[in-house]
Amino acid sequence: MSDYDFLYDHQEETTTRFVCFVGNALHRFDLAIMTTTRYYGKKLVIDLQSGRSAVIGPDDLAEEGYLEYVFKLNEEQALELNEFLSQIIGSIHFTDI
């Protein structure tokens, strides 16, 4: 292990929610949504079909085109994902202020 310059090496217990749903656009979403103490309260969202992932908070959901870019979705699919994530993504917590 001495060959690595670690920036951090941290282990913690997390909560992971696995959810699968199909929206009106008939796109199937298979997601793992991880809650952790890292990322200032944002959640790690993993698309299990594509392997794409992003750390997402309410500010990211408000950014136009963000979900389309990160998860390679069309506008209608991204709108459905945004509607779902808006229900479960909490607020950002800055603990070091």
Side-chain angles (χ1 to χ4, degrees):
M1 288 272 219
S2 62
D3 293 339
Y4 300 104
D5 291 328
F6 289 100
L7 299 179
Y8 61 84
D9 184 359
H10 177 83
Q11 292 183 348
E12 70 172 274
E13 295 285 327
T14 63
T15 302
T16 305
R17 176 180 176 182
F18 295 94
V19 64
C20 177
F21 69 93
V22 177
N24 292 331
L26 300 179
H27 180 83
R28 177 179 168 161
F29 293 95
D30 287 299
L31 305 172
I33 303 160
M34 186 179 301
T35 303
T36 174
T37 60
R38 300 179 86 67
Y39 314 122
Y40 304 104
K42 292 185 176 189
K43 297 192 185 312
L44 176 60
V45 179
I46 305 163
D47 178 347
L48 297 173
Q49 290 186 18
S50 69
R52 293 181 179 93
S53 63
V55 176
I56 298 179
D59 57 327
D60 302 303
L61 294 178
E63 187 175 331
E64 187 175 331
Y66 181 73
L67 294 177
E68 290 96 319
Y69 172 75
V70 170
F71 294 110
K72 306 297 184 222
L73 301 171
N74 66 37
E75 188 175 339
E76 186 178 12
Q77 294 165 341
L79 179 61
E80 290 179 344
L81 181 58
N82 191 312
E83 288 173 359
F84 172 75
L85 291 176
S86 293
Q87 298 173 36
I88 62 169
I89 300 293
S91 59
I92 298 173
H93 305 285
F94 293 102
T95 57
D96 55 347
I97 295 178

